[in-house]
Amino acid sequence: MAIETDIRYEEEFITNSRGMKLFASRWLPQNEAPKALVFFCHGYAMECSITMNSTARRLAKAGFAVFGLDYEGHGKSQGLQGLVNNFDDVINDCSHYFTTICEKEENKKRTRYLLGESMGGAVALLLHRKKPEYWDGAILVAPMCKIADEMRPNAVMIGVLSALSKMAPKWKIVPTQDIIDLAFKVPEVREQIRANKYCYKGKPRLKTAFELLRVSTEIEQSLSEVSLPFLVLHGEEDKVTDKSVSNELYEVASSSDKTIKLYPGMWHGLLYGEPSENLNIVFSDIIKWLEEKSQYGNTRIEREQKEQNEDIVRDSK
């Protein structure tokens, strides 16, 4: 059995390319070098330092360094709460911050993984698309590859949303069911999220709804382009994101190293919305996958080292 390690928690604000301050947090093993780097991509309306704290601490206690970034309009970052004006900005912000950490001298020879939950699963897949060779793997937890049919507006409403989102992007009028009630099985967790002032709880803003629909449709149509090693996890009773598309991702992705786990009776919130016995199962699977991947030789690191050595030889001639 793995020995738990002490954790050091740190936080900071960074400035993105648009001059906005974004809140970043990290959980680091205290007395040992991390086994690998894990970059957390949080879900819609969520944030890192409170909502993902238990997740990050589990991984840090298992020896992994965990990093999170509150997207623009989310958590403690600047921006109108709940507004995703352009999903491409979210991807660029995450890519810049995450790669800055990866490129630090002490991290260059460490493996790097994305952990995306719900909308964060879409973020992780789009980060992979932006830099296909950069990431060593991804854990996709109930990923938003498609919005579940129960949550998806009909074709007429989609047309109306598209037109209105251009005229009044900040309006909070999109009709949806209460996602908190649909996503999280444990009532105490629902109350914690409702009490968390950094979690957005209003109706989806018009532009946000349009952007989520746009990127989930894009991802659904390009699942075969996914090529990195991945573990996809989905609750059988998920009513927020569509588990059939997680199955399709597993079937059609071009990755040679891919695993899927479906959990009977579990809902959407697999990382913190289930009873403790279910969370233990999910995290056991996640940590086992991370440990197996980070223990073995890494082809990306070997390739980069080879290229670096070739550059040195070339420069010396």
Side-chain angles (χ1 to χ4, degrees):
M1 184 175 173
I3 299 171
E4 289 189 352
T5 187
D6 291 334
I7 299 165
R8 185 170 82 253
Y9 174 73
E10 299 172 352
E11 54 188 47
E12 63 178 334
F13 282 92
I14 63 164
T15 304
N16 68 11
S17 61
R18 300 175 304 290
M20 305 178 82
K21 291 198 180 309
L22 303 182
F23 179 80
S25 42
R26 62 187 72 185
W27 294 255
L28 307 169
Q30 180 73 54
N31 300 315
E32 61 182 76
K35 297 174 183 176
L37 312 178
V38 178
F39 295 88
F40 195 85
C41 308
H42 67 72
Y44 163 70
M46 296 297 159
E47 50 77 56
C48 288
S49 61
I50 301 169
T51 315
M52 72 165 277
N53 183 53
S54 60
T55 295
R57 292 185 72 83
R58 280 184 186 251
L59 297 178
K61 283 181 178 180
F64 299 95
V66 184
F67 303 84
L69 183 70
D70 290 359
Y71 314 138
E72 172 189 335
H74 284 73
K76 299 174 185 175
S77 290
Q78 284 188 329
L80 181 62
Q81 197 177 40
L83 177 63
V84 176
N85 196 49
N86 186 332
F87 215 84
D88 297 343
D89 289 340
V90 172
I91 303 307
N92 290 334
D93 288 344
C94 289
S95 182
H96 180 263
Y97 177 61
F98 293 169
T99 55
T100 298
I101 291 165
C102 292
E103 297 306 325
K104 288 185 176 180
E105 199 57 44
E106 68 268 24
N107 291 331
K108 283 186 175 178
K109 292 186 178 179
R110 292 189 175 127
T111 48
R112 49 181 86 127
Y113 302 96
L114 298 164
L115 171 54
E117 180 200 33
S118 193
M119 183 185 92
V123 172
L125 289 172
L126 291 171
L127 286 168
H128 163 55
R129 182 194 289 181
K130 185 177 176 70
K131 291 190 169 190
E133 304 296 326
Y134 194 81
W135 301 100
D136 296 313
I139 299 161
L140 306 167
V141 184
M144 189 192 75
C145 301
K146 177 186 176 183
I147 295 168
D149 290 337
E150 296 95 321
M151 299 286 294
R152 188 183 179 90
N154 61 40
V156 174
M157 182 59 73
I158 289 171
V160 172
L161 284 177
S162 176
L164 282 176
S165 71
K166 294 181 178 69
M167 295 186 291
K170 300 173 185 177
W171 277 12
K172 298 188 285 185
I173 61 169
V174 179
T176 62
Q177 301 176 58
D178 189 322
I179 292 178
I180 295 174
D181 280 346
L182 285 176
F184 305 106
K185 185 187 291 182
V186 176
E188 292 82 3
V189 172
R190 295 180 205 162
E191 295 315 307
Q192 287 166 11
I193 292 170
R194 288 198 172 95
N196 183 349
K197 67 179 181 179
Y198 298 111
C199 291
Y200 177 69
K201 292 167 282 286
K203 286 182 178 176
R205 298 181 189 276
L206 277 168
K207 192 64 195 294
T208 304
F210 179 75
E211 284 294 294
L212 296 185
L213 199 57
R214 175 180 73 83
V215 297
S216 60
T217 303
E218 273 182 27
I219 290 169
E220 186 184 3
Q221 292 169 352
S222 58
L223 295 176
S224 62
E225 295 173 16
V226 176
S227 59
L228 83 173
F230 68 82
L231 168 66
V232 61
L233 312 172
H234 222 118
E236 293 271 18
E237 302 301 318
D238 192 330
K239 292 183 171 60
V240 178
T241 57
D242 195 329
K243 69 177 183 290
S244 69
V245 186
S246 283
N247 267 316
E248 188 180 348
L249 169 64
Y250 173 72
E251 293 294 335
V252 307
S254 58
S255 310
S256 58
D257 180 348
K258 50 187 177 178
T259 306
I260 186 168
K261 288 189 177 288
L262 300 176
Y263 300 104
M266 294 197 202
W267 292 18
H268 180 69
L270 293 177
L271 297 180
Y272 44 86
E274 290 284 325
S276 58
E277 60 271 20
N278 288 353
L279 295 179
N280 290 339
I281 293 168
V282 171
F283 279 100
S284 173
D285 289 338
I286 290 173
I287 290 168
K288 181 183 176 188
W289 187 87
L290 281 171
E291 288 186 334
E292 285 177 354
K293 292 289 169 286
S294 57
Q295 276 172 4
Y296 299 122
N298 183 279
T299 54
R300 175 192 57 79
I301 293 173
E302 289 167 4
R303 184 184 69 247
E304 289 175 357
Q305 189 67 52
K306 183 169 178 284
E307 289 169 356
Q308 189 178 1
N309 291 340
E310 286 171 353
D311 288 343
I312 292 168
V313 170
R314 191 163 47 246
D315 290 344
S316 67
K317 288 180 178 177

